[in-house]
Amino acid sequence: MLLRQLNYFIAVVETGSFTRAAERCFISQSAVSQQIQALERELGVELIHRENRTFTLTAAGEYFYQKGRPLLKKLDSLCRETAELGRTAPLGLRVGCLRGYSGPEFQMAVAEFARSHPEVLVEVFSGSHENLYDELRSGQADFVLNDQRRAFSDVYVNQVLTASACCVELSAHSPLAERDSVTAWDLRELPCVLVTFPEQRDNEMTYYRDIVGLEGEFLFADDLEQARLLVVGGKGYLPVEGAAQPHPASGPLRRIPLLRDGRPILRNYCAFWKKGSGNPYVEDFAHILQEQFD
């Protein structure tokens, strides 16, 4: 029980919030609060001084956090290594990301996970929305970063990482590249370049036409690099997956917000994995990825 309470306490300190700690630990806020109070009763000291909706660490709480955090990491490693001794083959982790995702968060999470878990074989793949969903549903993938196009299922953990404004990338030589924002109407004469597998082209085209509201001709690329080369060559524009970071003003591309009715079009990007997957590394990877978005 003390180990679990220590985990909740550290989550509260690191997130700065009982609510965010509950989300991180996948339990209710009231359960976190009750466990922290039980921990304080067991230790006989106040760890967290609560005042209205805020809190501060007491001297005892700060000491307990500083000493408990490395201890918890060592215990986690001990549990994983002990479990590994009973396996006939090393346990791996297969993680997927949207094929056209342009943000750095997923790559940074993979790098950090590999650094902190050198004993785990990590396999990375990419795919369209439907590819990722099928891989997860069939058990071929342990974890995916995907956009939200359907209602959340109780079969999976559905962790919203960020709500990102839709943007498009245009050639720096395009007249539209000088604008602060564009609409689907502004882009109607230009082909839309989509990154997807051949068998998913119809699904992707339908989504961007009927849901996002893009009009006109569609072109297809096998990967993000090929798509951007088409855009640089003036062949069309590219809807951007992921965080909307601007390109340098001197580069060949411009990234511009896509508006509808004068407002940004927001898309949820989420982490998905099956509940009770049995892979002890999935939640570690999910936590590391969430940190990249915080």
Side-chain angles (χ1 to χ4, degrees):
M1 178 62 74
L2 180 61
L3 179 60
R4 186 181 306 166
Q5 292 168 346
L6 174 60
N7 185 44
Y8 296 157
F9 171 73
I10 289 174
V12 169
V13 176
E14 291 184 342
T15 62
S17 163
F18 280 82
T19 299
R20 288 193 291 270
E23 294 172 352
R24 171 167 153 179
C25 297
F26 306 107
I27 63 172
S28 67
Q29 179 181 341
S30 61
V32 171
S33 181
Q34 290 168 7
Q35 289 300 315
I36 298 298
Q37 291 172 0
L39 176 61
E40 290 175 322
R41 287 195 300 271
E42 186 170 343
L43 295 175
V45 295
E46 183 185 44
L47 300 175
I48 295 177
H49 180 69
R50 302 161 181 81
E51 187 172 352
N52 296 327
R53 295 179 177 271
T54 63
F55 69 83
T56 56
L57 286 180
T58 64
E62 181 64 33
Y63 177 84
F64 193 68
Y65 170 72
Q66 295 297 337
K67 295 294 184 179
R69 188 169 182 267
L71 177 62
L72 186 63
K73 286 190 173 182
K74 288 182 180 179
L75 287 172
D76 285 341
S77 297
L78 175 61
C79 292
R80 283 195 297 268
E81 291 165 3
T82 302
E84 284 299 310
L85 288 176
R87 301 182 186 277
T88 57
L91 184 64
L93 185 69
R94 189 165 191 262
V95 295
C97 181
L98 280 169
R99 194 171 181 83
Y101 189 81
S102 64
E105 299 86 4
F106 187 75
Q107 292 90 335
M108 292 169 61
V110 171
E112 174 58 24
F113 182 87
R115 185 197 64 79
S116 59
H117 297 77
E119 76 283 6
V120 182
L121 177 63
V122 182
E123 181 184 353
V124 181
F125 71 99
S126 63
S128 68
H129 172 90
E130 292 301 321
N131 294 137
L132 295 176
Y133 177 72
D134 290 342
E135 291 275 329
L136 190 63
R137 183 176 55 184
S138 66
Q140 298 301 306
D142 297 303
F143 178 102
V144 298
L145 188 163
N146 208 349
D147 57 350
Q148 183 188 358
R149 299 190 188 180
R150 46 167 56 89
F152 286 149
S153 168
D154 292 337
V155 176
Y156 305 99
V157 176
N158 312 281
Q159 182 174 331
V160 178
L161 299 168
T162 186
S164 179
C166 291
C167 291
V168 296
E169 289 184 350
L170 289 157
S171 166
H173 300 297
S174 169
L176 295 175
E178 302 300 322
R179 297 194 180 188
D180 294 329
S181 63
V182 293
T183 66
W185 177 259
D186 298 327
L187 300 166
R188 68 191 184 282
E189 300 296 334
L190 288 175
C192 174
V193 182
L194 299 179
V195 180
T196 186
F197 293 118
E199 63 271 19
Q200 292 296 331
R201 288 177 178 177
D202 288 343
N203 287 338
E204 291 296 294
M205 184 172 61
T206 298
Y207 173 77
Y208 279 96
R209 184 184 60 219
D210 297 348
I211 305 301
V212 181
L214 301 180
E215 304 176 20
E217 181 185 358
F218 287 87
L219 302 177
F220 302 96
D222 294 331
D223 54 47
L224 191 59
E225 185 64 25
Q226 182 185 13
R228 282 177 167 157
L229 287 174
L230 289 172
V231 174
V232 169
K235 304 298 183 182
Y237 66 92
L238 172 67
V240 178
E241 301 274 10
Q245 299 296 325
H247 286 288
S250 59
L253 293 172
R254 295 291 183 274
R255 187 173 294 183
I256 303 174
L258 176 64
L259 305 186
R260 181 167 54 206
D261 298 328
R263 298 180 179 180
I265 303 172
L266 297 180
R267 295 177 65 184
N268 283 340
Y269 292 90
C270 310
F272 297 98
W273 67 94
K274 279 190 177 180
K275 293 180 179 177
S277 69
N279 190 320
Y281 299 109
V282 171
E283 291 188 9
D284 286 354
F285 186 84
H287 176 59
I288 290 172
L289 180 60
Q290 180 66 71
E291 287 182 331
Q292 311 309 313
F293 287 91
D294 290 342

